[in-house]
């Protein structure tokens, strides 16, 4: 299995909702990432997990809460989002670390906040 | 943050021609570079990488060139095909184990 699987593919949520994005990989990668990508822009790093521990938080607002329950799963919990948070949220994984061989990305979750 | 930029935001080429996509990076400490291809509705896909101890690397129909003197990276695609139509990003790893910075992207349109 050489894929990163993200669910759901599309999500529409209200500003008062709580939702979660899920990411799964079975490549034995020990680093996992959340990226945010706005239309026609490059991906922007949000969080990095290394060996299930949060190692990088790129000053992301607390309405985004990551969680890494085990080495194969990565979640992003969403609460009280704003319309400007609408974007494509990409999960990626890599060998520890990415400087060895880069990332494998999932196809993303297209999030719309209304 | 770091700055990785591209000269051409959109590139249109005829099918069968060669394509060259350019990227300028700002951090001279970067030692690992990757080109990613992103098709509509998909996540970025690894195309080819190069380390700073090399100046050229070839893959299947793709070649990456690295000029460290002027901090410039390019991706050459031979015999461009319609399936090559996508946005291409360069990414640099400035000696930070898990962190890549992405350039602004170039959209490649292949005309049949």
């Amino acid at each position: 299995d050489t894929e990163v699987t993200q669910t759901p593919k599309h999500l529409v949520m209200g500003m008062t909702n709580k939702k979660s994005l899920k990411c799964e990989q079975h490549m034995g990668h020990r680093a996992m990432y959340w990226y945010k990508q706005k239309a026609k822009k490059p991906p922007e790093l949000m969080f990095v997990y290394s060996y299930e521990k949060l190692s990088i938080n790129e000053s992301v607002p607390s309405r985004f809460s990551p969680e890494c329950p085990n080495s194969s799963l990565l979640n992003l919990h969403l609460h009280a989002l704003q319309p400007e948070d609408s974007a494509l949220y990409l999960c990626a994984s890599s060998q520890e670390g990415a400087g060895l061989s880069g990332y494998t990305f999932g196809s993303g979750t297209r999030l719309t906040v209304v | 943050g770091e700055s990785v930029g591209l000269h051409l935001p959109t590139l249109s080429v005829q099918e069968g021609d060669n394509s060259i996509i350019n990227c300028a990076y700002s951090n001279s400490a970067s030692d690992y570079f990757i080109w990613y291809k992103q098709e509509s509705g998909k996540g970025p896909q690894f195309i080819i990488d190069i380390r700073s101890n090399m100046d050229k690397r070839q893959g299947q129909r793709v070649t990456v060139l690295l000029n460290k003197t002027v901090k410039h990276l390019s991706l050459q695609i031979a015999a461009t095909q319609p399936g090559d139509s996508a946005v291409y990003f360069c990414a640099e790893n400035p000696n930070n184990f898990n962190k890549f910075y992405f350039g602004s992207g170039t959209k490649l349109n292949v005309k049949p």
Side-chain angles (χ1 to χ4, degrees):
Chain A
D1 188 351
T2 58
E3 289 187 346
V4 174
T5 302
Q6 290 188 243
T7 55
K9 293 195 182 304
H10 301 275
L11 178 63
V12 178
M13 62 184 290
M15 289 186 283
T16 58
N17 291 160
K18 285 185 179 181
K19 297 287 185 183
S20 296
L21 310 184
K22 298 185 182 301
C23 175
E24 188 169 3
Q25 58 89 13
H26 296 287
M27 294 177 281
H29 288 172
R30 300 314 299 267
M32 296 185 76
Y33 311 80
W34 282 113
Y35 273 81
K36 174 182 177 179
Q37 187 177 26
K38 301 284 277 184
K40 301 182 180 179
K41 296 290 186 183
E44 297 178 357
L45 183 65
M46 299 175 72
F47 302 105
V48 179
Y49 272 83
S50 177
Y51 290 91
E52 294 113 69
K53 294 192 186 306
L54 184 65
S55 62
I56 298 176
N57 176 340
E58 291 286 279
S59 302
V60 178
S62 60
R63 57 185 184 270
F64 296 90
S65 175
E67 177 196 19
C68 190
N70 60 55
S71 61
S72 299
L73 295 175
L74 185 67
N75 299 321
L76 185 63
H77 302 298
L78 315 172
H79 174 54
L81 295 194
Q82 302 297 310
E84 58 265 28
D85 296 321
S86 298
L88 181 69
Y89 288 85
L90 292 163
C91 175
S93 69
S94 73
Q95 299 176 33
E96 178 59 15
L100 296 175
S101 61
Y103 304 136
T104 300
F105 281 94
S107 291
T109 294
R110 176 75 60 188
L111 174 68
T112 303
V113 181
V114 297
Chain B
E2 306 295 340
S3 173
V4 181
L6 296 178
H7 300 308
L8 296 172
T10 304
L11 176 65
S12 293
V13 300
Q14 205 68 39
E15 180 179 358
D17 288 351
N18 296 334
S19 303
I20 300 177
I21 300 171
N22 296 303
C23 176
Y25 65 95
S26 61
N27 192 331
S28 56
S30 291
D31 60 359
Y32 183 43
F33 304 87
I34 298 177
W35 279 102
Y36 284 94
K37 171 186 180 183
Q38 188 172 23
E39 296 175 274
S40 181
K42 296 185 178 180
Q45 177 188 4
F46 177 101
I47 301 174
I48 191 168
D49 60 359
I50 189 167
R51 298 196 181 273
S52 57
N53 60 351
M54 304 174 69
D55 52 20
K56 180 179 180 179
R57 189 156 191 237
Q58 288 185 290
Q60 188 177 13
R61 281 199 309 117
V62 294
T63 300
V64 54
L65 300 178
L66 175 62
N67 186 330
K68 295 182 288 293
T69 302
V70 295
K71 291 184 285 188
H72 185 267
L73 197 67
S74 69
L75 176 70
Q76 300 178 359
I77 305 174
T80 313
Q81 302 169 358
D84 296 326
S85 293
V87 177
Y88 289 80
F89 294 101
C90 63
E92 63 172 322
N93 182 269
N95 230 4
N96 181 311
F97 215 40
N98 279 325
K99 200 167 178 177
F100 274 86
Y101 296 96
F102 284 79
S104 54
T106 292
K107 184 174 183 179
L108 177 64
N109 291 322
V110 181
K111 297 176 286 186

